[in-house]
Amino acid sequence: RHSVAVIRAMVDAHTSSPAAAERIFDVCQELNALQVVIDRSPFPLAIEMVSIASRRVGLNLEQWLQEKIKANGGAFVSACMRFLRARATQEGGDKGNMPLSVEVVQSFLKVLQGAAPNMPPDLQAELRQLIAQISAAPNTRQAPTAADNLSAQAGTAQGFSADVEEEANRYFQRVYSMQQSIGELVEMLRAFRASQVQRERDIFSCMVHNLFDEYKFFPKYPEKELRITAVLFGQLILHNLVSNITLGVALRCVLDALRKPNGSKMFAFGSEALEQFKRRLTEWPQYCQHLAQIPHLAQSHPDLLPLFSKGSDQTVALGRSEPSMNNADADSQLAAGVAGMRLGSDSEGNNPPLPRSLSSAMNFPPQPPGAPPAGEAAPAGVS
């Protein structure tokens, strides 16, 4: 009973001040209770203690991580990625923490990447995002060789084989050519996400990644194709086919689009996507708070006014599984580093040609130099 009270006190101290981790470790050593604390603590404190122990007393970090992943699966993997995001990218905002050594970061990434084939697609995508963030972090750049290694890992993790890309493209093409309904595609994606076949999980990840990667090009889409894309985007959110960080990126895309002027193509995209998953808005009170701050949104979605009024309280807490929308800089950086999204930028400006993942699926005709984007009329007076 006494050890339970001590561990609870340590957990509370770590939760209120993560920078206290080194002092907590010292207390564990003084009480000769390090192993007990590691075994009985929640994941965040246990991960912190083992990371320090690997540096100060030579504990085998990789072996411990492998055993915990085998025993606890995705819940522990998610906890590890939250730890790395806060400590290896400094996104956590607590500058009092001692930065993780490159060796510790590499041990985490080595084990997580080794476990990646058995992870669900959303965790695989989150790991790719995390690696991209870490490879760009100042702490990793202090050791050029390690930074180069992390960058190489990020490039490998984000790549899909040519045949997977081609098959993903064919599925998009069937939807845009009306040979398959969006509902049928969503059901297929749901099956692929839960499949025991690695190739099917890869196709799911590729399709979701490519859909997000296209966000910056959405203003160039013809209206019909943009509406199809918006419905698909919203359906992914509705049916929980994106989660964790990936869900946060998807919701921010919709929020970013809804902030465009009423009547613009991107507002139409955001409005249609929101219509698909609006029944889930009660799960995300802070997201409703952000939506409520868009003056013209209530005109197109008057049915959401009750939710908006509930979200007007500045002290509203995050929902149980709600991704935070408050750290706009971090979210934008994440989206740009992982999926090529430039959220908050002038995405209605000039862009390079559409990449093959979705544009070729739409069979856009080649545009002569100076011509308006596909699906848009030339300005008045231009023939």
Side-chain angles (χ1 to χ4, degrees):
R1 213 178 301 171
H2 177 69
S3 63
V4 171
V6 171
I7 291 173
R8 184 178 296 121
M10 290 180 175
V11 170
D12 291 343
H14 180 252
T15 301
S16 61
S17 179
E22 293 282 339
R23 177 56 186 150
I24 294 172
F25 182 86
D26 291 338
V27 171
C28 290
Q29 290 285 75
E30 292 167 8
L31 296 176
N32 196 26
L34 179 60
Q35 193 60 54
V36 174
V37 172
I38 290 173
D39 291 342
R40 298 186 182 181
S41 294
F43 292 152
L45 180 58
I47 292 169
E48 188 85 67
M49 292 297 99
V50 172
S51 298
I52 296 173
S54 71
R55 171 168 51 84
R56 291 176 52 176
V57 298
L59 187 146
N60 190 326
L61 175 59
E62 291 182 18
Q63 180 181 345
W64 183 81
L65 290 172
Q66 290 166 349
E67 291 173 354
K68 295 294 283 187
I69 290 175
K70 184 177 180 180
N72 299 281
F76 182 74
V77 169
S78 293
C80 288
M81 289 196 279
R82 284 193 296 271
F83 173 74
L84 288 176
R85 187 167 293 106
R87 295 293 305 282
T89 68
Q90 290 299 308
E91 192 175 305
D94 191 334
K95 305 303 184 182
N97 282 336
M98 178 180 293
L100 295 178
S101 69
V102 172
E103 291 74 22
V104 168
V105 174
Q106 286 184 316
S107 293
F108 271 94
L109 293 181
K110 178 181 176 181
V111 174
L112 290 174
Q113 287 193 297
N118 297 318
M119 295 180 192
D122 55 329
L123 285 182
Q124 292 181 23
E126 187 173 346
L127 178 59
R128 289 193 293 271
Q129 296 168 0
L130 178 62
I131 292 171
Q133 283 184 292
I134 291 173
S135 66
N139 291 336
T140 60
R141 293 189 181 188
Q142 293 172 4
T145 302
D148 292 342
N149 185 38
L150 290 176
S151 296
Q153 291 177 15
T156 301
Q158 289 190 22
F160 297 99
S161 64
D163 60 320
V164 167
E165 288 271 9
E166 289 170 7
E167 187 163 351
N169 190 49
R170 282 198 296 272
Y171 286 123
F172 281 125
Q173 189 172 34
R174 291 176 63 183
V175 170
Y176 288 117
S177 63
M178 312 300 288
Q179 297 176 34
Q180 183 180 27
S181 71
I182 293 176
E184 290 169 338
L185 178 62
V186 168
E187 284 304 311
M188 185 202 77
L189 288 172
R190 192 203 299 267
F192 279 12
R193 181 178 185 268
S195 175
Q196 298 299 311
V197 180
Q198 181 64 46
R199 177 180 172 80
E200 292 183 344
R201 297 199 302 271
D202 287 345
I203 292 169
F204 169 85
S205 297
C206 181
M207 293 183 72
V208 172
H209 178 274
N210 287 349
L211 185 65
F212 285 1
D213 199 38
E214 290 277 300
Y215 177 82
K216 61 185 176 291
F217 299 112
F218 286 175
K220 303 298 184 183
Y221 279 24
E223 290 184 5
K224 173 188 169 185
E225 284 76 6
L226 184 60
R227 183 181 182 280
I228 291 173
T229 306
V231 173
L232 176 58
F233 210 95
Q235 288 283 313
L236 291 179
I237 297 173
L238 172 65
H239 293 289
N240 208 24
L241 292 176
V242 288
S243 58
N244 300 319
I245 294 297
T246 315
L247 173 63
V249 173
L251 290 175
R252 180 161 286 283
C253 284
V254 175
L255 185 65
D256 179 74
L258 290 169
R259 286 170 173 162
K260 303 301 182 189
N262 195 354
S264 67
K265 289 174 70 173
M266 285 308 292
F267 178 80
F269 164 82
S271 183
E272 185 63 56
L274 179 65
E275 185 67 26
Q276 305 304 310
F277 66 84
K278 64 182 182 182
R279 73 182 76 167
R280 292 194 64 190
L281 288 176
T282 54
E283 302 173 33
W284 308 314
Q286 277 198 9
Y287 191 65
C288 289
Q289 186 178 46
H290 287 285
L291 293 175
Q293 295 169 5
I294 303 174
H296 52 272
L297 184 58
Q299 301 173 15
S300 58
H301 291 275
D303 54 318
L304 299 181
L305 282 174
L307 283 175
F308 293 170
S309 61
K310 289 179 183 178
S312 61
D313 182 1
Q314 293 298 314
T315 62
V316 65
L318 280 172
R320 183 175 179 182
S321 60
E322 179 177 11
S324 175
M325 296 286 115
N326 288 329
N327 194 344
D329 290 339
D331 286 341
S332 297
Q333 192 175 42
L334 167 64
V338 178
M341 296 177 248
R342 293 175 292 183
L343 303 186
S345 67
D346 182 12
S347 57
E348 306 244 10
N350 294 325
N351 285 305
L354 294 169
R356 70 173 187 170
S357 55
L358 297 188
S359 61
S360 60
M362 297 181 201
N363 293 318
F364 286 168
Q367 296 293 307
E376 295 185 7
V382 177
S383 57

